[in-house]
Amino acid sequence: MERIELIAPCHFGLEAVLKREIWDLGYEISSVEDGRVTFIADYEDICRANVFLRSAERILLKAGTFKAETFDELFERTKALPWEKFIPKNGKFWVAKAASVKSKLFSPSDIQSIMKKAIVERMKEKYHVEWFEEDGASYPIRVFLMKDVVTIGIDTSGVSLHKRGYRLMSSKAPLTETLAAALIMLTPWRKERILVDPFCGSGTFPIEAAMMAANIAPGMNREFTAEEWTNLISKNAWYEAIDEANDLVNDKIEVDIQGYDIDGEVIKAARENAKLAGVEHLIHFQERAVKDLRHPRKYGFIITNPPYGERLEEKENLPALYREFGESFKKLDTWSAYMITSYEDTERYFGRKADKNRKIYNGMLKTYFYQFLGPKPPKPNK
């Protein structure tokens, strides 16, 4: 079986979470860089990676890496890569995205154009044709330049992996599914413990937690670009990955996962999303304000994405909202709270300094994952 490298991009600051996920799937990590983890696999593992990884944004088949400081070098070194190994004669290929950081070549459109020409020239020589119909499967190419080092990957996922297929309805400022899953995995929460999201919006945190609890793979109900790559991956490999995922599902479990929001319409959307994800029976959604947050049991978890106040008129309401949240949390004296927010006065109005704090980029927005830790529950008697 031929060994290849797969690149899994992720949110900046969450590389360790993705690395652990990849390791748990049984793969060897070859490198960890800002915003991506590269690992060793074979072509059929493209199926498993897309179906099972919760915190990866997409899976790229690594075509090559090299240094280029001029467009001539970019052309020649792109052309030197064995593109015919990946893309068949009728494959549709284009450079879908180029990004450059601290590199001499920085124009995305020029990088895309030159690389496309280089790939065409290589394919002309190898396939002995002057014109490509490009009427077959799609092979979108993504390139990233960092300090003049060019890394090229062919996108196996297509639509970003945060599109699980369940969120047809979303609230004003939804958290992506991949980010929500990664943040849950950053906490010690397990399915035996209580989880409450008092600002649940379209339900992303509770739904991702319920999917983890029931062992529902995130990519079970969607399609991937590489399903059409029959030159590299057999259809049977995709069926086997889905069969493996189906065998692991256990949705007959008992859990205590709750989602609250002050907006009744948003709660309706959250219930619909949970239904599409197949976990509506595992989550209790309720229209409820944060000042009414309470729970009779001890040692629970709050994991949430409270309002940031992106608009000026919303910002004025934030001190009162975070103060109410802090007062409710004080009464849950054995609980832990985890929140992602860009609001800079969070600790001041919440009324407590975070035990831990982690900077995370949500797209281009700098946010912080505040961690307010409660006591550990006593160990049960054997």
Side-chain angles (χ1 to χ4, degrees), residues 32-66:
V32 179
E33 298 154 277
D34 285 348
R36 65 178 190 248
V37 180
T38 304
F39 59 103
I40 297 163
D42 60 44
Y43 286 111
E44 295 193 346
D45 292 324
I46 288 170
C47 314
R48 291 187 77 231
N50 274 295
V51 169
F52 285 100
L53 290 175
R54 297 183 191 278
S55 59
E57 291 300 304
R58 58 184 69 246
I59 303 298
L60 307 174
L61 166 57
K62 185 174 175 181
T65 187
F66 52 78

Side-chain angles (χ1 to χ4, degrees), residues 299-342:
Y299 304 109
F301 284 77
I302 293 167
I303 305 179
T304 193
N305 174 35
Y308 305 167
E310 292 304 295
R311 293 202 295 269
L312 197 59
E313 63 271 22
E314 290 174 345
K315 252 190 169 62
E316 293 167 3
N317 302 325
L318 293 185
L321 186 73
Y322 279 77
R323 195 179 287 116
E324 284 176 354
F325 184 15
E327 285 166 3
S328 294
F329 179 61
K330 261 184 214 161
K331 294 168 193 165
L332 297 164
D333 59 352
T334 60
W335 283 47
S336 298
Y338 298 81
M339 71 171 106
I340 180 170
T341 177
S342 66

Side-chain angles (χ1 to χ4, degrees), residues 62-356:
K62 185 174 175 181
T65 187
F66 52 78
K67 190 164 186 181
E69 297 182 354
T70 67
F71 284 121
D72 281 345
E73 286 177 340
L74 180 67
F75 181 90
E76 293 301 335
R77 286 168 191 174
T78 299
K79 187 183 169 189
L81 295 174
W83 292 103
E84 67 283 357
K85 193 167 101 175
F86 310 119
I87 304 171
K89 195 196 291 190
N90 69 338
K92 181 182 177 185
F93 59 96
W94 69 103
V95 183
K97 185 167 184 187
S100 176
V101 178
K102 297 178 181 171
S103 298
K104 292 179 182 67
L105 305 179
F106 55 82
S107 163
S109 58
D110 289 338
I111 292 165
Q112 287 167 295
S113 165
I114 283 160
M115 286 183 65
K116 169 79 180 189
K117 283 178 190 162
I119 299 165
V120 167
E121 287 305 310
R122 169 80 185 201
M123 303 266 279
K124 274 184 186 177
E125 287 176 12
K126 295 298 173 179
Y127 287 121
H128 309 292
V129 294
E130 285 299 312
W131 177 257
F132 294 96
E133 293 293 338
E134 295 198 49
D135 56 358
S138 293
Y139 296 79
I141 295 158
R142 290 179 164 245
V143 57
F144 180 68
L145 283 76
M146 178 68 177
K147 294 181 180 174
D148 302 320
V149 174
V150 181
T151 303
I152 306 169
I154 309 173
D155 183 10
T156 75
S157 305
V159 175
S160 171
L161 292 181
H162 80 264
K163 299 274 190 186
R164 315 283 206 222
Y166 68 72
R167 195 165 73 181
L168 298 184
M169 310 173 85
S170 66
S171 55
K172 265 190 307 188
L175 196 69
T176 66
E177 293 85 333
T178 45
L179 180 53
L183 293 176
I184 294 168
M185 287 188 276
L186 264 183
T187 78
W189 178 79
R190 297 292 175 266
K191 62 187 174 188
E192 300 78 25
R193 308 280 294 275
I194 308 150
L195 188 150
V196 175
D197 180 355
F199 301 99
C200 75
S202 53
T204 311
F205 270 132
I207 292 169
E208 289 294 319
M211 287 175 72
M212 286 180 202
N215 224 353
I216 297 171
M220 282 178 69
N221 297 308
R222 54 157 288 167
E223 295 175 342
F224 306 98
T225 295
E227 286 178 61
E228 302 304 316
W229 295 4
T230 49
N231 61 316
L232 297 175
I233 310 163
S234 70
K235 286 282 185 189
N236 206 41
W238 291 99
Y239 298 137
E240 284 174 4
I242 296 297
D243 285 347
E244 180 187 353
N246 275 316
D247 289 344
L248 292 170
V249 173
N250 177 15
D251 62 356
K252 302 290 187 286
I253 52 170
E254 284 190 22
V255 290
D256 188 345
I257 299 173
Q258 303 187 26
Y260 307 142
D261 202 282
I262 200 166
D263 186 334
E265 288 304 307
V266 164
I267 287 293
K268 277 186 199 167
R271 284 197 186 107
E272 191 57 37
N273 291 338
K275 189 175 178 183
L276 288 167
V279 293
E280 76 275 18
H281 62 296
L282 299 176
I283 307 169
H284 172 68
F285 286 112
Q286 189 179 21
E287 184 180 339
R288 186 189 285 197
V290 72
K291 65 182 172 62
D292 300 321
L293 172 63
R294 60 179 65 90
H295 198 289
R297 288 170 60 199
K298 290 177 176 290
Y299 304 109
F301 284 77
I302 293 167
I303 305 179
T304 193
N305 174 35
Y308 305 167
E310 292 304 295
R311 293 202 295 269
L312 197 59
E313 63 271 22
E314 290 174 345
K315 252 190 169 62
E316 293 167 3
N317 302 325
L318 293 185
L321 186 73
Y322 279 77
R323 195 179 287 116
E324 284 176 354
F325 184 15
E327 285 166 3
S328 294
F329 179 61
K330 261 184 214 161
K331 294 168 193 165
L332 297 164
D333 59 352
T334 60
W335 283 47
S336 298
Y338 298 81
M339 71 171 106
I340 180 170
T341 177
S342 66
Y343 184 46
E344 290 176 357
D345 287 327
T346 290
E347 292 167 309
R348 176 183 169 192
Y349 291 110
F350 192 69
R352 176 174 162 181
K353 187 159 177 56
D355 298 288
K356 290 184 181 177

